[in-house]
């Protein structure tokens, strides 16, 4: 099998993580095919990126579980007492013995809580296991790895050797009969995981042996690495770092492990290793061959030339309208939520919950539109809301009234059958000089007589502010204008239109605003709006907290001292109404 286009190197090694077994409809098949082949690299494409001059800034830890795993290493392998580990976290900001970057103060606060909860959960589980007659399990220092021997000739996938790895905290009984894996989740413990992923995890836990980590592009030994005495029992736990909850994901014997791997995991790995086709999206951030992708629109100087010194680039990154809004409110919140994925389980405010339900109903309707759009539907009633929704009666009634308002504003009214209708369609672009991937997900993208129309739908309790710029108030509209201007939306996109559907529950209170992305004044304003938000984000390396009304609904305020102090001193009587839709990560 030939190397994928745009790659150089060798493709005989296929190295998969258990996460590659997950089915993601938005993942790029070509990216997955190159990602599981670590000896492949990218061919040179065009002019190289301009190197950054000046001193490298001090960067913060960007792996949320990094300090937690380092702390658990001290407790489990160095036999430090938990109190001593916590003191070390506070004194070193997580940079134990200088082995890693310092962490954001809020990440340290999160890590201390997560560490203490993990220790308590692990101690409880071991006590329960002993009471049930199970042998104790002790920590295993090196990562379990399962590897085949190097074959002389490649198979039908071009592979001569396979390697399987997983992630988590490893434990085994003294006689090897029981092996456990504990997987930390940043919020609550996951109640379950996909069947293919569970089978892949169980395979590594049962068949793997401890092995030292290699450099990313180093070749593995030619010999196989397979446990000669597989355990009689494989158990996998999910532990919630935000609340200490624990879920037993699986408890299997060797026969079940083999059967489930062959049935569920192996087909998923084959699909990852042989996929073809291109699907621009979040996969572009880690793609080796982004410079050769013909499907990914290039949008140099998307918001104009970068003002001042270019940002330091440690590696490729992405930005979305959600990123811009969060960082504009509070850089610390952006870093903790969008980069580290922390979540203190604070319930969403009522406006956000109502907006999600309205979004879900409209997306389902627009997936299978009626000839006359939503205007053909009867008046909204309780049965139209998604099963199991969490809205109390007043909020549910408010959502229904907004759905009725949408009937008059539905963009699909009178749309011909040959037009394209794309709910929640991902629009992706690449800024080559910054090595930045731009991700956008309009609520609805559709054509009408050859023109692309980008519709954003927002639910709100309050009317639009008269006199305030729509692009400034809704940066996703400004981003849409720039993507139209650069031709990144679709054929004929420069002749398109951007719309804001602002839904309120009062009869006739909703509004539809149209924006022409071809007007020079509109494009100039969009340049200014996005530059004002994106450039501080791309330059930021410290992510300092910025307090304000947004602190009342912040997902990470539990670990933010300034935010907690602000909320204590400020009444929550005017918490902002959250947007009705939230862009996916």
């Amino acid at each position: 099998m030939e190397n994928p286009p745009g790659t150089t190197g060798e493709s005989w090694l296929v190295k998969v993580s258990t996460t590659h077994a997950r089915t993601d409809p938005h993942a790029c098949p070509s990216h997955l095919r190159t990602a599981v082949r670590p000896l492949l690299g990218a061919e040179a494409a065009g002019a190289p990126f301009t190197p950054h001059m000046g001193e490298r800034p001090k960067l913060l830890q960007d792996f949320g579980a990094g300090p937690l795993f380092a702390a658990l290493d001290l407790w489990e392998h160095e036999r430090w007492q938990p109190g001593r580990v916590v003191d070390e976290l506070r004194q070193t900001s997580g940079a134990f013995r200088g082995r890693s970057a310092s962490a954001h103060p809020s990440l340290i606060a999160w890590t201390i809580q997560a560490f203490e909860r993990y220790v308590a959960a692990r101690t409880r589980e071991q006590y329960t296991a002993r009471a049930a007659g199970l042998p104790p399990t002790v920590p295993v220092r090196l990562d379990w790895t399962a590897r085949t021997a190097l074959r002389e000739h490649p198979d039908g996938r071009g592979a001569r050797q396979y390697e399987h790895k997983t992630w988590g905290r490893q434990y085994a009984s003294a006689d090897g009969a029981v092996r456990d894996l504990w997987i930390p989740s940043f919020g609550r413990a996951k109640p379950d995981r996909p069947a293919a992923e569970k089978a892949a995890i169980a395979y590594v836990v049962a068949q793997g042996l401890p092995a030292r980590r290699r450099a990313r592009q180093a070749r593995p030994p030619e010999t196989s690495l397979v446990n000669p005495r597989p355990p009689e029992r494989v158990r996998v736990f999910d532990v919630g770092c935000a609340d200490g909850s624990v879920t037993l994901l699986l408890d299997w014997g060797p026969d079940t492990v083999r059967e489930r791997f062959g049935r569920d995991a192996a087909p998923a790995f084959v699909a990852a290793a042989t996929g073809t086709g291109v699907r621009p999206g979040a996969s572009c951030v880690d793609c080796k061959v982004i410079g050769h992708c013909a499907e990914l629109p290039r949008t140099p100087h998307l918001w104009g030339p970068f003002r001042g010194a270019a940002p330091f680039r440690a590696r490729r990154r992405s930005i979305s309208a959600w990123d811009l809004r969060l960082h504009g409110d509070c850089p610390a919140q952006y870093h903790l939520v969008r980069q580290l994925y922390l979540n203190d389980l604070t319930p969403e405010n009522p406006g956000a919950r109502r907006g999600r339900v309205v979004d879900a109903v409209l997306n389902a309707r627009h997936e299978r539109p009626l000839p006359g759009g939503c205007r053909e539907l009867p008046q909204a009633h309780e049965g139209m809301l998604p099963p199991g929704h969490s809205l109390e009666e007043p909020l549910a009634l408010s959502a229904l009234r907004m759905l009725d308002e949408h009937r008059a504003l539905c963009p699909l009214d009178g749309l011909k059958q040959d037009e394209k209708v794309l709910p929640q369609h991902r629009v992706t672009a690449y800024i080559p000089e910054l090595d930045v991937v731009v991700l956008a997900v309009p609520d609805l993208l559709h054509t009408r007589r050859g023109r692309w129309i980008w519709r954003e739908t927002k639910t709100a309790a309050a009317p639009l502010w008269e006199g305030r710029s729509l692009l400034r108030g809704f940066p996703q509209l400004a981003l849409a204008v720039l993507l139209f201007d650069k031709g990144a939306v679709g054929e004929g996109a420069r002749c398109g239109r951007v719309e804001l559907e602002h839904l309120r529950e009062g009869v006739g209170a909703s509004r539809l605003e149209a924006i022409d992305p071809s007007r020079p004044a509109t494009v100039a304003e969009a340049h200014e709006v996005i530059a004002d938000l994106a450039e501080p984000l791309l330059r930021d390396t410290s992510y300092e907290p910025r307090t304000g009304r947004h602190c009342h609904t912040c997902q990470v305020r539990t670990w933010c001292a300034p935010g907690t102090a602000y909320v204590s001193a400020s009444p929550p009587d005017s918490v902002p109404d959250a947007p009705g839709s939230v862009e996916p990560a």
Side-chain angles (χ1 to χ4, degrees), residues 7 56 271 356 390 460 486 502 517 524:
T7 61
R56 175 190 175 101
R356 286 188 184 278
S390 62
K486 290 291 187 178
H502 195 261

Side-chain angles (χ1 to χ4, degrees), residues 250-330:
L250 63 90
D251 184 351
W252 294 348
D255 291 341
T256 303
V257 172
R258 284 191 295 270
E259 189 269 329
R260 295 290 181 87
F261 180 82
R263 187 188 73 189
D264 298 326
F269 285 139
V270 169
T274 60
T276 58
V278 176
R279 188 175 296 121
S283 298
C284 300
V285 178
D286 299 313
C287 186
K288 298 175 184 178
V289 293
I290 191 171
H292 294 267
C293 181
E295 298 297 319
L296 177 64
R298 268 64 173 171
T299 55
H301 303 297
L302 180 63
W303 56 82
F306 207 92
R307 302 175 297 195
F312 176 84
R313 180 181 61 247
R315 60 173 178 263
R316 187 180 305 136
R317 62 198 300 184
S318 66
I319 59 171
S320 67
W322 187 14
D323 294 326
L324 299 178
R325 289 198 302 266
L326 274 184
H327 189 274
D329 285 342
C330 174

Side-chain angles (χ1 to χ4, degrees), residues 125 129 132 134 177-181 192 198-199 201-202 205-206 231-238 247-257 260:
E125 189 281 325
L134 289 173
V178 178
R179 280 187 172 186
D180 294 342
L181 184 75
D192 200 2
K198 290 195 295 184
I201 293 169
V205 175
E232 300 170 6
R233 195 168 186 176
V234 167
R235 303 190 304 168
V236 177
F237 297 86
D238 201 293
T247 300
L248 178 62
L249 294 176
L250 63 90
D251 184 351
W252 294 348
D255 291 341
T256 303
V257 172
R260 295 290 181 87

